[in-house]
């Protein structure tokens, strides 16, 4: 069931989203050559704790997962697309890192992701991040009252394909509010003018995941969580929680 949020609920979700934005900013600031993925998780935990927020990631166990998720952020490095578990791995010069984070505050949830390079950036990684950001921006721009879900999906997919990137076929964005994952599903490809109608108060986590090799195939690590490209190419993931309003799209997960 799709829940349409009141204006008061959107304001409350903005506060949860603000915590997410702050946590991601803290992780980005902490990231450097030699820093472990677990240290990045600790940086995010500190932000959540100071804000009085909890993590919707920690302990989350969907049907596909063999174990509950053990951290408050997902850290996906280089050929990992999404859902990477923070480990003792220490960042190396040139690594491409995607970090996904959520926060629950006063009963409402925010969810966002960033991708960045550590140390000396590879030009191809910079281009991949730019394409992913443009895909997200296009999706947000299409999130308007009177439109359809397919408008968002088509906007994202068009940018990704024009950049020569693949997208994992089974994954996309989602509704969000009282829970991290709510209806409706937000595909990262589709036909404009089709799908669920976009109304004031609908809140979506819009999250393009682009794979530089152009292949849509992926594989799952033995940990049951981490998704990787099958061709070893790099991947990027950028996400915002966005409210559809009569005044236009409202991004709720800025710091």
């Amino acid at each position: 069931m799709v829940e349409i949020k009141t204006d008061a609920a959107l304001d409350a979700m903005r506060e949860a989203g603000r915590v997410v934005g702050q946590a991601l900013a803290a992780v980005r600031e902490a990231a450097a050559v030699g820093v472990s993925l677990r240290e990045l998780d600790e940086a995010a935990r500190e932000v959540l704790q100071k804000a009085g927020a909890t993590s919707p990631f920690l302990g989350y166990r969907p049907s596909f997962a063999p174990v509950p998720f053990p951290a408050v952020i997902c850290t996906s490095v280089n050929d990992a697309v999404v859902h990477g578990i923070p480990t003792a791995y220490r960042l190396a010069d040139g690594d491409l890192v995607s970090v996904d984070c959520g926060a629950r505050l006063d009963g409402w949830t925010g969810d966002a992701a960033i991708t960045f390079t550590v140390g000396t950036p590879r030009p191809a990684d910079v281009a991949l991040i730019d394409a992913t950001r443009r895909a997200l921006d296009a999706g947000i721009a299409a999130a308007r009252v009177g439109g359809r879900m397919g408008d968002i999906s088509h906007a994202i997919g068009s940018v990704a394909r024009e950049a020569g990137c693949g997208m994992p076929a089974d994954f996309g964005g989602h509704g969000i509010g009282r829970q991290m994952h709510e209806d409706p599903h937000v595909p990262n490809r589709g036909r404009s003018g089709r799908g669920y109608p976009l109304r004031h108060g609908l809140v979506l986590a819009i999250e393009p995941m682009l794979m530089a090799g152009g292949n849509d195939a992926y594989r799952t690590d033995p940990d049951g969580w981490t998704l990787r490209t099958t061709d070893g190419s790099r991947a990027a993931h950028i996400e915002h929680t966005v409210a559809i309003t009569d005044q236009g799209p409202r991004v709720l997960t800025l710091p």
Side-chain angles (χ1 to χ4, degrees):
M1 183 181 73
V2 176
E3 180 186 11
I4 301 300
K5 278 69 177 180
T6 66
D7 289 346
L10 297 185
D11 289 341
M13 289 191 69
R14 171 66 181 117
E15 295 311 308
R18 194 187 313 276
V19 176
V20 175
Q22 292 170 347
L24 288 172
V27 168
R28 179 67 186 90
E29 184 176 356
V33 173
V35 173
S36 74
L37 299 181
R38 286 185 182 141
E39 289 174 302
L40 298 186
D41 186 65
E42 285 299 324
R45 286 176 189 252
E46 289 181 11
V47 173
L48 267 60
Q49 183 178 22
K50 289 180 180 178
T54 59
S55 170
F57 288 20
L58 184 63
Y60 180 60
R61 189 179 182 182
S63 59
F64 66 79
V67 296
F69 196 77
V72 304
I73 59 173
C74 299
T75 51
S76 305
V77 181
N78 296 331
D79 64 333
V81 186
V82 288
H83 301 165
I85 296 175
T87 64
Y89 174 80
R90 294 192 177 275
L91 295 170
D93 186 56
D95 275 348
L96 179 66
V97 185
S98 296
V99 178
D100 194 355
C101 182
R104 184 176 292 117
L105 184 68
D106 297 329
W108 296 99
T109 308
D111 185 13
I114 57 174
T115 298
F116 55 87
T117 57
V118 175
T120 308
R122 300 183 182 186
D125 289 345
V126 174
L128 178 61
I129 293 171
D130 177 68
T132 310
R133 185 176 294 112
R134 287 189 288 107
L136 175 60
D137 289 344
I140 292 173
R144 295 189 174 275
V145 171
R148 295 273 181 169
M149 188 68 72
D151 300 341
I152 298 173
S153 304
H154 178 74
I156 292 171
S158 294
V159 173
R161 296 310 193 197
E162 287 170 5
C165 294
M167 295 173 287
D170 304 321
F171 291 86
H174 49 89
I176 184 171
R178 301 176 194 275
Q179 304 296 324
M180 179 168 61
H181 291 128
E182 298 182 352
D183 292 333
H185 176 60
V186 186
N188 282 333
R189 71 199 77 187
R191 296 177 62 182
S192 59
R194 301 291 183 90
Y196 192 84
L198 306 181
R199 298 169 50 192
H200 178 91
L202 178 65
V203 185
L204 306 172
I206 301 175
E207 48 179 324
M209 309 158 194
L210 272 58
M211 302 186 291
N215 193 332
D216 292 344
Y218 62 88
R219 62 180 177 84
T220 305
D221 273 5
D223 64 20
W225 279 99
T226 308
L227 304 186
R228 294 187 185 276
T229 61
T230 57
D231 58 9
S233 64
R234 307 264 207 162
H237 173 212
I238 306 179
E239 173 186 15
H240 270 307
T241 295
V242 180
I244 297 170
T245 79
D246 291 330
Q247 293 74 42
R250 181 184 179 187
V251 178
L252 301 178
T253 39
L254 295 172

